[in-house]
Structures are given as structure tokens and as C-alpha cells.
Amino acid sequence: MAKSKRRGRTGGGGSPEPVVEQVDGGLAELIPDRERPRAWTLLLDGAPQSHVDLDDPAYLSFEYQRRLGHIVDLVAPPGRPLQVVHLGGGAFTLARYIAATRPRSTQQIVELDAGLVQLVRKQLPLDPTARIRVRSGDAREGLGKIPDGWADLVIADVFSGARTPAHLTSTEFLTEVRRALKPGGHYTANLADGPPLAHVRAQVATAATVFPELALAADPTVLRGRRFGNAVLLASDVPLPVAELTRRVASDPHPGRVEHGRALADFTGGAAAVTDASAKPSPVPPPAAFR
């Protein structure tokens, strides 16, 4: 059971106070956004995880979440409901975004940290009319319970101690993702890495063994291996909306770049695909990564 130190009381000026609780995966903090009245940032052990605006769930603050939002927008005609699996819950930011931008979508969230789920449900409640089911459990085990060909989109954003667990990085895992996807469905993953980008390169190589179409979006300084950061991988068995994704990513407040085709193959640089036998967690972020 999570123990609460502070529960979002308002101060004398009416501003909400941070909420701090020990959850299964570490110390969770919900920090109020001073510029948006009902917006919060979730941190786990000091690492930023999610930003949620309860008044405007279509608002995406974090750079990588904006890129995931672009993908959500582009994988189907505007407004069409989707069947989505979220591996990793955080503060349910992308699930809220999909519910707001694609009403009548059906979504399943698999989140290992039951204490975090309890905290988010209490402090940042979901719209009760949204078709969002939250399961507590391991992401790969939860994925295994999804029927064959059920999902239009699988979103992987799983971190434990700021690292993606090893068993969510392999060809066997991605084969299970493809089983759960409909023909023409899409898989997208938030990857975190820094110089020399061995993890991201290996993840691209791994996805290429399962999906014929790939793209990678990230800050150019991350792609050049100059700093630790996030890269968003997109994969499918059908051609990707590369041109429009490139335009949107380049137009973000923090402009990014999209690699695909030959340029992405060159970026991968002959990295070997990851199997369950060789899988490792993503690298530990450097101390300055979240300052």
C-alpha cells in the first residue's frame, strides 16, 4: 500500500501542493504546473515520467509524448476510434490524449506498479466515460493476454528505475507485439539512450527483423550521440506516414528529425538484433539527464 506524505492540499494562495508517495517502483511525486491550473508532472525517483493537464488532455508537454501524439494522429484518419494497448501507464497521458482526440476508442493499459496506478487514479482521475481499462501486471505478460490481431496500435513506454526492462527489448517480444496487431497496425516505442547509442541502434535492428517499415524520431543532438535523450520508434507492416511525421516533428517547440529508409539503415550501423538470450535493460541515465 502506498504511503502518502502530502496529498495535494492547496496553500494559502489556493495553489495545489505537490503530492509525494512511496509506490512499488520508488518515490512518486506529482508536481503542479504553475502555468496550467489543473496540470501535473509525474516524477519517479526524480525522473520526469509524464505530464497531464486534466482540463486539456489533448495538450502534450513532453517532447517524446508530443511525438507519440503525432503518431496517434497519423496512423488512421482523424477522429476514427482505435483499439490501443499501452505497455506502461505512467499518468495515462497518451490514453487520455487518444480518448480526447479519438472518442469511442477502446484502450487497455498494462502497468506493473499497482501503487502508482492507485495514486494516479485518485489524484488524476480518468474520464469515467472513456473506454480505458487499466491492468496491473508485467507488460509482456499483459500483452500475451491480448487476442490475436486485436490492436490498431501498441505503445510501449516502460521504464523501471529509468531503464526499459530487458525482456521488452527482444525479437521475441516484438513478435508478440506483431501477433497482437491487426494487419496494417502500428507499434511505437519510447526509447532512452545516450552516446554511443548502442541501445537505440540495436532496437532498430531488432524491429527490422519483425517489421518491414520503420522510422525513428528524435532530437538531432540525440541522434548524433551528443547527449542522452529519447527517441521514438515507429514500426508497421505497411508504409508509414513519413512525410507528414517529418513535418510535424520538425515543427515541434523542440524540433526533431525523422530517419527512415537508407538513412535509418546507415544509422543502425550493422547492430545485431536482440534476442531474449542476449537482452539487456536500456542504459542508466547519467546524473545530469533530468536537470
Side-chain angles (χ1 to χ4, degrees):
M1 183 68 68
K3 290 185 178 180
S4 174
K5 294 183 179 179
R6 286 176 284 177
R7 288 197 172 273
R9 298 181 303 273
T10 57
S15 299
E17 294 182 358
V19 178
V20 182
E21 290 198 10
Q22 188 68 39
V23 296
D24 302 344
L27 187 68
E29 300 173 80
L30 287 171
I31 308 299
D33 185 332
R34 301 304 181 190
E35 297 181 358
R36 303 178 75 90
R38 297 183 69 227
W40 300 79
T41 297
L42 168 67
L43 290 80
L44 284 176
D45 287 336
Q49 299 289 322
S50 305
H51 180 278
V52 168
D53 187 333
L54 296 177
D55 288 334
D56 184 8
Y59 174 76
L60 299 176
S61 174
F62 285 8
E63 180 181 295
Y64 85 87
Q65 289 181 331
R66 286 182 63 86
R67 287 168 189 160
L68 291 171
H70 296 326
I71 288 169
V72 168
D73 293 345
L74 295 173
V75 296
R80 196 187 86 184
L82 296 176
Q83 295 184 172
V84 185
V85 177
H86 300 262
L87 304 178
F92 313 152
T93 303
L94 266 295
R96 300 172 199 267
Y97 180 84
I98 291 169
T101 61
R102 295 182 177 275
R104 303 183 310 282
S105 292
T106 302
Q107 304 184 70
Q108 298 192 40
I109 299 172
V110 185
E111 169 58 56
L112 182 62
D113 194 326
L116 178 61
V117 169
Q118 180 183 15
L119 171 65
V120 172
R121 280 190 179 278
K122 181 172 185 177
Q123 299 293 339
L124 309 175
L126 289 165
D127 179 348
T129 67
R131 301 176 182 179
I132 300 173
R133 178 182 180 184
V134 184
R135 295 178 175 177
S136 294
D138 176 77
R140 188 156 161 180
E141 291 180 6
L143 179 65
K145 297 176 182 178
I146 301 297
D148 293 1
W150 182 85
D152 295 295
L153 179 63
V154 173
I155 300 174
D157 187 12
V158 185
F159 289 87
S160 176
R163 305 176 75 184
T164 300
H167 68 299
L168 304 180
T169 67
S170 66
T171 53
E172 291 91 340
F173 165 68
L174 288 180
T175 298
E176 187 69 2
V177 169
R178 186 157 185 183
R179 177 201 62 77
L181 286 172
K182 298 176 182 178
H186 292 75
Y187 168 71
T188 186
N190 176 32
L191 310 175
D193 200 5
L197 298 178
H199 173 68
V200 167
R201 297 181 204 277
Q203 287 304 286
V204 175
T206 304
T209 67
V210 179
F211 295 97
E213 301 289 338
L214 302 174
L216 186 72
D219 186 293
T221 59
V222 173
L223 289 173
R224 288 195 292 265
R226 294 184 178 176
R227 70 170 177 87
F228 192 95
N230 297 88
V232 172
L233 176 67
L234 175 61
S236 184
D237 60 357
V238 297
L240 302 175
V242 171
E244 181 61 17
L245 179 61
T246 299
R247 187 191 70 78
R248 292 190 181 204
V249 168
S251 301
D252 276 340
H254 299 283
R257 194 171 82 215
V258 175
E259 299 284 16
H260 65 100
R262 178 60 183 272
L264 184 56
D266 290 344
F267 168 83
T268 305
V274 176
T275 65
D276 278 345
S278 63
K280 300 176 182 178
S282 64
V284 177
F290 307 117
R291 290 178 186 170

